[in-house]
Amino acid sequence: MKNQIVTATQERITIRHVAQDAGVSVAAVSKVLRNAYGVSEVLRSKVEASIEKLNYRPSVAARGMRGRTYTVGILVIELSNPFLAGVIESANTMLSDNGYKSLIGIGRSASPIEASMIESMIDNRMDGVLIIAPRISGKVLERYARQIPIAVIAHHEPHAQTYDTVNSDDRKGAALAVEVAVKQGYRDIAMLGYDFLDSPSTVVALQREMGYVAAMKQAGLESRIIRLPPVAENREAAIRDFLVTTDRPRAVFVWSDLDAVPLINAARTSGIRVPEDLAIIGYDNSPMAAIPLVGLTSVDQNAVQLGRTASEVLMGRIDGRQEARHLLIEPHVELRGST
């Protein structure tokens, strides 16, 4: 019997394998999975031990047969980014209005943690997962999406078939930033990005770099990308070093307000006038950017629409839609005193 189970693990583990390993009926395993009334703790412990041992993941079809839990997991890269709060609030409101409860997990910019969180959401029989700015690859997402409906924000993979994506049109947003700078009369326009290291090619910063380079070429200008350390590292020293370089550009488009706000603060505290000495354009239009003392010109990617739209497409997946949807939200630029 045990040999049969070992062989089966090379294929997809089913509820029958779990029942066989636990020494109970398939019906008993089913009761545990759907949290049925009257299941003893002894039976539950035995079945859950086999589920963990065999790494069993219920299929989407099987989950549908058990009925919905009306819970959705929201997995976010971090909570320190103020822009994400608006996305989460909008998504949660849309889900709540449609009878769903949301539980939030934090991936902490680490692929293993994100994978573990998604597996926990599957194990807890949630109806779907909304993921914001994942570090895990599209290939891994494809695998999980065969087990649970998934919609992803800030992840550019337009050819994915098993899950949906909703993004700001990041290339266009970067192009709009360049257009604003050019219209203001700037010609020496650099982009402040970061070292991607092992970041997947789906990250928004890469799309913004592509948009920046294309827009600079269209304007007949030479592009220049200056890279800060990776996002997980402290970048204050690198920002100060950028400000004192002898070939500092006249204007800079920053990949995100996460670095644009500290940059504008560091410039002003070191006596560099903004925009007289250095014009700065950010991306996200985060709440900090709009504070009058900051006054950062920034590309707005519409947090409310991102969250609402992603929730809508996720609920469509939960309702049984199988064809993939990959949507782009139109950005615009909010002009303030930094340009």
Side-chain angles (χ1 to χ4, degrees):
M1 292 290 255
K2 294 294 181 183
N3 289 335
Q4 292 177 353
I5 292 172
V6 171
T7 302
T9 58
Q10 298 171 2
E11 305 170 358
R12 187 177 71 82
I13 296 297
T14 70
I15 192 172
R16 294 185 181 279
H17 297 129
V18 175
Q20 181 181 339
D21 186 77
V24 299
S25 68
V26 170
V29 176
S30 179
K31 285 182 179 180
V32 172
L33 289 172
R34 68 174 187 272
N35 200 26
Y37 178 76
V39 174
S40 70
E41 284 305 312
V42 173
L43 174 59
R44 185 183 304 281
S45 298
K46 188 180 295 186
V47 170
E48 288 180 348
S50 292
I51 287 173
E52 183 175 356
K53 171 185 173 183
L54 299 176
N55 196 29
Y56 171 63
R57 305 281 179 233
S59 68
V60 173
R63 291 166 60 83
M65 291 173 63
R66 291 201 306 272
R68 296 185 186 179
T69 62
Y70 285 95
T71 57
V72 166
I74 298 178
L75 178 59
V76 62
I77 187 172
E78 60 180 355
L79 290 179
S80 60
N81 184 345
F83 167 76
L84 296 180
V87 178
I88 295 169
E89 179 64 29
S90 175
N92 185 60
T93 298
M94 174 59 70
L95 290 166
S96 179
D97 288 347
N98 285 271
Y100 287 91
K101 294 180 181 178
S102 304
L103 291 97
I104 298 175
I106 303 172
R108 294 187 293 180
S109 300
S111 299
I113 295 175
E114 289 181 346
S116 176
M117 294 293 295
I118 295 172
E119 289 176 1
S120 293
M121 291 171 179
I122 293 171
D123 291 343
N124 281 283
R125 303 195 301 278
M126 294 184 182
D127 293 329
V129 180
L130 175 58
I131 306 176
I132 305 174
R135 303 291 293 176
I136 54 179
S137 68
K139 184 177 181 180
V140 174
L141 283 174
E142 289 271 3
R143 187 174 78 240
Y144 286 128
R146 288 191 285 270
Q147 304 171 55
I148 188 170
I150 290 178
V152 194
I153 297 174
H155 174 90
H156 288 269
E157 191 127 23
H159 302 297
Q161 294 300 310
T162 59
Y163 61 89
D164 303 318
T165 63
V166 179
N167 292 289
S168 167
D169 190 340
D170 289 296
R171 293 194 193 190
K172 183 171 184 179
L176 291 174
V178 172
E179 288 176 15
V180 164
V182 171
K183 286 180 180 178
Q184 298 278 25
Y186 303 113
R187 308 292 290 174
D188 180 14
I189 309 163
M191 178 175 178
L192 197 62
Y194 64 87
D195 192 335
F196 291 128
L197 292 183
D198 59 348
S199 297
S201 60
T202 53
V203 295
V204 297
L206 179 58
Q207 297 294 315
R208 293 170 191 174
E209 284 194 9
M210 292 177 179
Y212 160 77
V213 170
M216 290 290 285
K217 183 177 181 180
Q218 185 173 357
L221 302 174
E222 184 176 346
S223 59
R224 176 161 56 125
I225 298 175
I226 300 165
R227 300 196 185 279
L228 298 173
V231 290
E233 297 182 17
N234 188 303
R235 300 199 284 275
E236 291 181 6
I239 287 174
R240 290 195 298 270
D241 289 344
F242 162 73
L243 288 172
V244 298
T245 53
T246 56
D247 62 342
R248 189 182 69 216
R250 181 63 186 81
V252 61
F253 163 52
V254 188
W255 78 276
S256 168
D257 290 357
L258 285 174
D259 287 322
V261 171
L263 174 63
I264 199 171
N265 180 63
R268 287 172 172 159
T269 56
S270 60
I272 297 172
R273 298 171 302 166
V274 178
E276 292 85 357
D277 300 324
L278 175 65
I280 302 173
I281 302 174
Y283 204 115
D284 291 339
N285 194 29
S286 61
M288 288 288 291
I291 295 174
L293 288 176
V294 177
L296 174 66
T297 292
S298 187
V299 180
D300 189 321
Q301 53 177 322
N302 200 331
V304 172
Q305 191 174 353
L306 277 171
R308 182 174 61 240
T309 303
S311 294
E312 288 174 343
V313 298
L314 178 59
M315 288 186 289
R317 278 278 183 185
I318 293 171
D319 286 339
R321 173 178 50 80
Q322 295 191 8
E323 68 277 8
R325 298 191 68 189
H326 301 290
L327 307 178
L328 293 177
I329 306 300
E330 194 84 2
H332 69 277
V333 178
E334 286 289 338
L335 290 170
R336 299 190 181 94
S338 68
T339 53

